[in-house]
Amino acid sequence: MTLFPLDDSDDFRPTAPEGPSVRVRLTVAYDGSGFHGFAATPGVRTVAGVLGDALTRVVGAAVTLSCAGRTDKGVHGRGQVVSFDVPASFDDLARLQRSVNSMCAPAVVVRDAAFVGDDFDARHSAVSRSYRYTVVNTPVPDPLLAGRVWWVDDDLDLAAMRLGCDPLIGEHDFTSLCRVPRGVASFTMVRRVLDARWVDLGDGLLRFDITSTSFCQQMVRSIVGLLVDVGRGRARAGDVAAILRARDRSLVRTVAPPDGLVLWEVGYPG
């Protein structure tokens, strides 16, 4: 059931909150296959656009979202965190969650909602982000997993892929494994990876888990593509460190598709 209209034909005109406000934190899950990424972009359907529109209608005032990470087109989310301010008179988070889910589910779902202090910001307060990527390594694809995994039918050497994770741990310049941001005059590709590992789930399912203080664009998909090439024998585990040191994007031939990638969790102090 839709509680509020979502098109632009009604007379709803939000106004910015006036007077005292309180801050809300949401944990959001979404199926990214129908969106052009998370960040609001004029003219295209994005997760933040749909979520922000629904929240504005529920709250009755314009909502500006801060998010923990801007996922690319087609990438999914399970633990995306957003924060925003609402008028202090708004106190029913249960209704907010229920109403937003009624409007946006199953593509976008609010998993939980809480009031937080004014010093909390979903993006700037975060100390880590964790992503998961799933590969199905079988001779025949599974149609029930379509849109959630990357099907690779080549034989993969999991031991070599695991060895390729070691050079990623720590602080490095990831220029070789990131897309250069557009329209940004100065930037750094230096990131600190806290953990990176492959997990064998059985039945041909391989899961890559990575946690970093932050990520740059296409970093996880490029890492997965490189490590899968190591598993295929197209590169060696020992090449990963040299590719990092080279700071040359052309050395990474394969970028994993977005289907298998999920923003899994965001870490905060305490």
Side-chain angles (χ1 to χ4, degrees):
M1 179 179 68
T2 300
L3 300 182
F4 300 90
L6 291 179
D7 57 42
D8 296 324
S9 61
D10 59 83
D11 294 327
F12 184 79
R13 294 293 184 271
T15 57
E18 296 181 359
S21 63
V22 291
R23 187 153 297 173
V24 176
R25 164 180 165 168
L26 304 181
T27 303
V28 180
Y30 51 89
D31 175 356
S33 58
F35 296 98
H36 288 254
F38 185 88
T41 305
V44 296
R45 187 171 185 257
T46 68
V47 178
V50 168
L51 178 62
D53 183 55
L55 287 168
T56 293
R57 295 170 187 275
V58 174
V59 173
V63 168
T64 301
L65 298 178
S66 174
C67 69
R70 298 183 176 186
T71 51
D72 293 335
K73 178 181 178 181
V75 176
H76 313 295
R78 180 186 180 275
Q80 173 68 276
V81 177
V82 301
S83 59
F84 55 94
D85 293 337
V86 299
S89 58
F90 188 91
D91 61 357
D92 194 345
L93 291 183
R95 182 176 74 85
L96 180 147
Q97 182 177 6
R98 185 171 59 250
S99 299
V100 171
N101 288 347
S102 178
M103 284 187 275
C104 300
V108 180
V109 172
V110 176
R111 295 178 53 212
D112 62 66
F115 289 113
V116 290
D118 292 343
D119 59 342
F120 177 84
D121 180 274
R123 177 187 176 192
H124 298 292
S125 300
V127 296
S128 66
R129 286 89 170 162
S130 297
Y131 282 85
R132 284 186 170 180
Y133 196 102
T134 305
V135 172
V136 58
N137 186 215
T138 55
V140 178
D142 185 341
L144 299 182
L145 297 177
R148 294 291 183 273
V149 301
W150 178 20
W151 173 55
V152 178
D153 59 346
D154 300 303
D155 290 334
L156 295 180
D157 183 344
L158 182 58
M161 293 162 65
R162 284 171 166 163
L163 284 175
C165 292
D166 293 343
L168 302 171
I169 308 297
E171 187 170 273
H172 308 285
D173 187 320
F174 283 89
T175 296
S176 295
L177 290 155
C178 292
R179 173 187 284 177
V180 176
R182 297 178 182 177
V184 180
S186 61
F187 55 87
T188 177
M189 298 294 194
V190 175
R191 297 293 188 271
R192 183 159 60 94
V193 173
L194 306 175
D195 188 41
R197 65 183 67 199
W198 285 96
V199 180
D200 187 349
L201 302 176
D203 296 324
L205 286 172
L206 306 176
R207 190 184 75 211
F208 179 67
D209 292 332
I210 184 168
T211 299
S212 178
T213 54
S214 62
F215 291 87
C216 44
Q217 192 173 19
Q218 284 194 354
M219 179 172 161
V220 181
R221 291 168 56 199
S222 297
I223 289 173
V224 172
L226 175 58
L227 294 178
V228 167
D229 277 349
V230 168
R232 286 165 162 162
R234 297 177 182 176
R236 298 174 301 172
D239 294 335
V240 175
I243 288 172
L244 276 175
R245 290 194 299 269
R247 302 178 186 179
D248 184 353
R249 177 70 168 159
S250 68
L251 296 178
V252 178
R253 298 187 298 172
T254 303
V255 177
D259 309 50
L261 184 58
V262 182
L263 173 56
W264 193 254
E265 189 177 28
V266 182
Y268 293 94

